[in-house]
Amino acid sequence: MQRKRVGSSGDLLEHFKPLQEVELAIHVKKIEELRVWLTEAQKSHPAAQFLLLTGPPGSGKSISIKTVAQALKYDVSEWTTPVDVDLFLDDRYDFEDRENKKGRRPQKALFDDFLYKTSRYCSLFNTIGESGKLLLVKDFPNSMLRTPEEFHHSLERYRDSSMDPIVFIATDTSKKSLDVAYNLFPPHIMESFQIRQIKFNAVSASLLKKAIKRMGGIIKADKEISKQYQTVPSKAVEEEIIASSQGDLRNCCLNYLFTCMKSEADALPKRLRLDNDASCKEKAAKSSGSTLGKSSNHLGLNQQLTIMHGLGRIFHPKFIKQGENTRFIHSPESIAECFLTQPSNIVSLLHSNYVTRCTDIQNVCKASDMLTVVDAIMNEYRSDQLAPYGINIAVRSMMVHNEQTAHGFQPIRKKIKVLPHESTKLYENQLKKLGLIQRPVPARLLATEYKGYMSIIRVPAMHKTQENAAALYQH
């Protein structure tokens, strides 16, 4: 028999959404940054009209802005892309045997109407909050992802016609073609529209424990919800859920609820019991022992390696001897697979820290050469498939060439950020006049690679040019 769902909503997390800021399983600094920005937006400050939230999936971007906005008495209106206009001629799809629906409006027109009408008119069914309106855009129209100029035009129209704050939420992706922040919010757009950016990180294990502990308390307190979630996971299972979620708050909460729905195979389904029940403790101890024995049974995501642990395994590899051969305890391929969603970040961290992790200068030179090859592979903008190969080469080469690792505590340094100077363009023009470069060179590549080599050969080239000019003058 199919069990009836509690409530009419299909969202399992609907009953467990936080109502106050203290219930959020998010870092306090991020909540404070949101509160400060929303407070500035109440004053209709031009520099606090646009906000971009970025971060990995399940890092709490949406629930944080909604909870803080609700605490500040904002009336939040969220845009949802209509699915019935997704495949029509106005959105530049090219399919055969399709009717031309003249009555259908393109996604851009509907998105512009949402921005214009929501910021100007009031709903008959809702009352405006004390702090005013707040627009939220998380689901971006597909047509704007294909042509970012349409989105920038809509953004300009909104800036000229409204003063209400608007929040854009962009989830980090491994492919540049699907990365909203990369395609729709380039640096010049962020600067011209004064868009504030707040970056969210993966949720820590302590905050994940706080979230599932709060959910367990809600299940115990509500009799209707406890009818659907009948079992309490053991501490070992909770730890496994937290470890396998890899900082994904949504994944952790859903796996916890799915585990609560499961009943024991050798017994009838049991109602939720208190933690001080003796029989419950005995069976929890048995289940924890059986769970620890099954190392291959994981919950949620397969990635169970944090960035710090991954860098530790790369910079300080461990070996095991098998006869005359020696192999890694942790294979480079398994480490690289855990970071396929952020290969450029891992390579940047390797660049920042590999020199201090090697004690032999020969190993430093070998690692530097391989990282140069990896940069050449991952800088190929025409293919996104090269990034997994690049991170595999970087991890393996760093582990193989670091034969004598440095001991003692050494903090992890931040990623290196290269900001080209304003004189880079002038320097490029000078090199073109001297004939040292024949094609345009990206500013970052010119500042990091070309400029160092060009400074060595620039003086001889200038002397040669002067000698040629003198010879022509004599003739």
Side-chain angles (χ1 to χ4, degrees):
M1 180 183 296
Q2 185 177 5
R3 185 177 297 154
K4 295 182 180 179
R5 291 184 176 180
V6 179
S8 58
S9 175
D11 187 5
L12 291 178
L13 300 177
E14 182 68 27
H15 299 284
F16 306 96
K17 289 183 178 181
L19 301 179
Q20 300 176 1
E21 295 180 11
V22 294
E23 298 177 353
L24 288 171
I26 307 297
H27 200 278
V28 180
K29 290 185 178 179
K30 299 300 177 183
I31 299 177
E32 183 63 23
E33 289 183 21
L34 292 176
R35 171 174 282 275
V36 170
W37 185 86
L38 289 172
T39 304
E40 291 294 330
Q42 290 178 346
K43 305 175 184 177
S44 299
H45 196 279
Q49 186 180 10
F50 299 100
L51 176 64
L52 174 63
L53 302 182
T54 59
S59 56
K61 301 181 293 296
S62 302
I63 192 63
S64 297
I65 188 64
K66 291 180 180 178
T67 305
V68 177
Q70 183 180 359
L72 295 177
K73 306 296 180 62
Y74 270 99
D75 181 19
V76 181
S77 300
E78 184 175 359
W79 158 262
T80 303
T81 302
V83 296
D84 57 340
V85 297
D86 193 29
L87 299 176
F88 287 95
L89 291 173
D90 291 332
D91 290 327
R92 296 187 178 86
Y93 281 92
D94 188 13
F95 294 99
E96 297 178 356
D97 301 331
R98 195 176 52 165
E99 298 180 8
N100 186 4
K101 305 285 187 179
K102 295 183 178 180
R104 306 280 184 173
R105 302 184 64 195
Q107 291 181 348
K108 182 182 183 305
L110 296 175
F111 183 73
D112 290 341
D113 284 351
F114 167 78
L115 297 181
Y116 182 80
K117 295 180 180 179
T118 306
S119 60
R120 280 182 170 265
Y121 304 117
C122 304
S123 174
L124 297 176
F125 305 99
N126 297 328
T127 57
I128 302 178
E130 297 178 2
S131 301
K133 299 180 181 179
L134 177 67
L135 279 65
L136 183 63
V137 179
K138 182 180 179 180
D139 185 16
F140 291 85
N142 297 327
S143 60
M144 293 185 176
L145 292 177
R146 293 188 296 272
T147 54
E149 294 78 11
E150 294 184 356
F151 174 75
H152 300 157
H153 180 262
S154 301
L155 207 60
E156 185 175 359
R157 289 186 55 188
Y158 181 79
R159 181 181 60 180
D160 297 338
S161 62
S162 177
M163 291 296 293
D164 291 333
I166 182 170
V167 179
F168 301 100
I169 300 178
T171 303
D172 297 341
T173 58
S174 57
K175 293 185 177 180
K176 291 183 179 179
S177 58
L178 301 178
D179 195 339
V180 174
Y182 177 81
N183 293 306
L184 298 184
F185 298 93
H188 68 279
I189 294 296
M190 298 287 291
E191 182 179 358
S192 61
F193 287 92
Q194 299 181 347
I195 301 177
R196 170 73 185 283
Q197 183 178 6
I198 299 178
K199 296 182 179 180
F200 279 68
N201 301 319
V203 183
S204 62
S206 59
L207 292 175
L208 293 177
K209 290 181 181 179
K210 173 186 175 182
I212 61 177
K213 181 179 179 180
R214 173 179 167 273
M215 294 173 64
I218 294 176
I219 293 175
K220 293 177 183 179
D222 196 320
K223 295 182 179 180
E224 293 296 328
I225 298 179
S226 62
K227 293 179 182 179
Q228 184 177 4
Y229 306 104
Q230 299 183 358
T231 59
V232 177
S234 62
K235 295 296 182 182
V237 175
E238 290 183 1
E239 293 292 338
E240 191 173 2
I241 292 174
I242 294 172
S244 62
S245 63
Q246 195 62 27
D248 191 334
L249 179 60
R250 185 187 304 106
N251 179 276
C252 178
C253 294
L254 288 175
N255 281 328
Y256 181 78
L257 292 180
F258 291 152
T259 307
C260 292
M261 290 180 182
K262 296 178 182 178
S263 59
E264 300 178 6
D266 55 348
L268 295 174
K270 293 179 173 56
R271 298 299 176 190
L272 195 67
R273 293 168 295 189
L274 298 176
D275 293 337
N276 56 4
D277 192 347
S279 61
C280 180
K281 289 184 179 180
E282 293 177 359
K283 294 187 177 180
K286 293 181 180 179
S287 62
S288 62
S290 61
T291 305
L292 294 174
K294 299 179 181 179
S295 59
S296 60
N297 185 17
H298 299 295
L299 295 173
L301 303 177
N302 292 326
Q303 300 180 355
Q304 296 188 357
L305 192 64
T306 62
I307 292 180
M308 293 302 173
H309 290 163
L311 292 176
R313 293 181 181 181
I314 295 172
F315 290 127
H316 303 279
K318 296 182 180 179
F319 306 91
I320 185 173
K321 291 186 177 180
Q322 292 182 343
E324 298 180 355
N325 300 324
T326 303
R327 69 178 184 86
F328 294 113
I329 295 180
H330 307 289
S331 65
E333 288 76 13
S334 62
I335 298 175
E337 286 179 358
C338 295
F339 305 108
L340 291 179
T341 58
Q342 45 184 348
S344 60
N345 294 338
I346 298 300
V347 174
S348 298
L349 289 172
L350 294 180
H351 271 290
S352 306
N353 297 273
Y354 79 96
V355 176
T356 57
R357 292 326 194 265
C358 301
T359 57
D360 190 354
I361 188 61
Q362 298 297 331
N363 294 335
V364 174
C365 294
K366 293 177 182 178
S368 177
D369 293 339
M370 293 309 300
L371 287 178
T372 303
V373 175
V374 171
D375 288 340
I377 293 175
M378 298 185 65
N379 284 334
E380 178 55 54
Y381 62 91
R382 290 169 293 183
S383 176
D384 294 332
Q385 302 298 326
L386 295 177
Y389 297 104
I391 190 174
N392 270 284
I393 296 174
V395 172
R396 175 168 286 277
S397 61
M398 196 63 58
M399 296 175 68
V400 170
H401 293 141
N402 194 6
E403 298 175 356
Q404 298 177 1
T405 60
H407 298 284
F409 173 75
Q410 295 182 8
I412 297 295
R413 299 181 180 180
K414 296 181 179 180
K415 298 182 294 182
I416 298 175
K417 294 184 179 180
V418 179
L419 299 176
H421 197 265
E422 297 178 357
S423 61
T424 304
K425 190 65 177 177
L426 300 176
Y427 188 77
E428 181 181 3
N429 296 333
Q430 293 178 3
L431 296 178
K432 288 181 180 179
K433 292 179 180 179
L434 295 174
L436 297 179
I437 56 176
Q438 303 295 333
R439 63 182 65 181
V441 180
R444 183 173 179 178
L445 186 61
L446 181 64
T448 55
E449 301 289 342
Y450 275 66
K451 194 170 183 179
Y453 297 114
M454 292 301 177
S455 61
I456 299 175
I457 64 175
R458 181 182 180 184
V459 176
M462 291 178 64
H463 290 320
K464 187 176 180 179
T465 304
Q466 292 175 0
E467 290 176 359
N468 294 335
L472 291 175
Y473 179 76
Q474 292 176 0
H475 290 297

